[in-house]
Amino acid sequence: MSLNNHGLPSRVPVIAELGRLFADPAVPDADKQQALDLLVQDHADLDEVEAQSALWAISQLGRCEMACHALLDCAPAWLALADTAQPFLDAYLQTCGSQVTVAAKTAFAQLHTLARHDAELAARLPDFASPCNS
């Protein structure tokens, strides 16, 4: 059994199972929402590897409101981790699209701050359009 950065058993296998559940069209949306709520509830306790796994899992929901809300709820904690900006951007594109919503402004402000020290991230940010009425 592997340990996470907090010395606890890694939750990556469980998070991977959530991703498979999220991707399964036979699973009712109510069950997906309940599992997503648990993931969001514990998001601040995840280490970097677990957070990247959670970003992948949320992406498995595809473009939908519940996934986008969950992603943005977790953004401040996950973007504070060292290498989650690129996976966050990938997950945002998958779940929310390329438009920076008003609800995503804080996360994108954080991404722009991170981009000052990450040329690859800085190069990707212009692909995301700001809302017209900001």
Side-chain angles (χ1 to χ4, degrees):
M1 169 176 22
S2 62
L3 300 179
N4 66 15
N5 291 344
H6 306 295
L8 300 170
S10 176
R11 292 170 274 199
V12 170
V14 173
I15 294 168
E17 283 301 316
L18 288 177
R20 285 188 273 285
L21 177 137
F22 293 154
D24 186 346
V27 175
D29 284 347
D31 292 345
K32 291 179 182 182
Q33 183 67 59
Q34 187 175 23
L36 189 60
D37 290 345
L38 291 173
L39 184 60
V40 170
Q41 177 183 324
D42 291 338
H43 80 277
D45 295 332
L46 301 180
D47 70 12
E48 187 173 327
V49 173
E50 293 167 337
Q52 289 185 26
S53 296
L55 287 165
W56 171 83
I58 291 170
S59 295
Q60 300 313 297
L61 287 162
R63 191 157 181 190
C64 69
E65 193 172 322
M66 76 172 144
C68 190
H69 283 290
L71 186 67
L72 293 174
D73 286 346
C74 300
W78 289 348
L79 290 174
L81 300 171
D83 291 321
T84 55
Q86 295 284 354
F88 177 86
L89 217 47
D90 294 337
Y92 186 87
L93 185 60
Q94 183 73 22
T95 60
C96 307
S98 60
Q99 182 79 21
V100 178
T101 65
V102 173
K105 282 181 142 190
T106 302
F108 274 82
Q110 196 171 355
L111 285 165
H112 280 281
T113 299
L114 294 169
R116 292 182 196 149
H117 306 286
D118 183 339
E120 188 178 336
L121 179 61
R124 287 188 67 193
L125 286 176
D127 293 339
F128 292 83
S130 294
C132 296
N133 53 356
S134 45

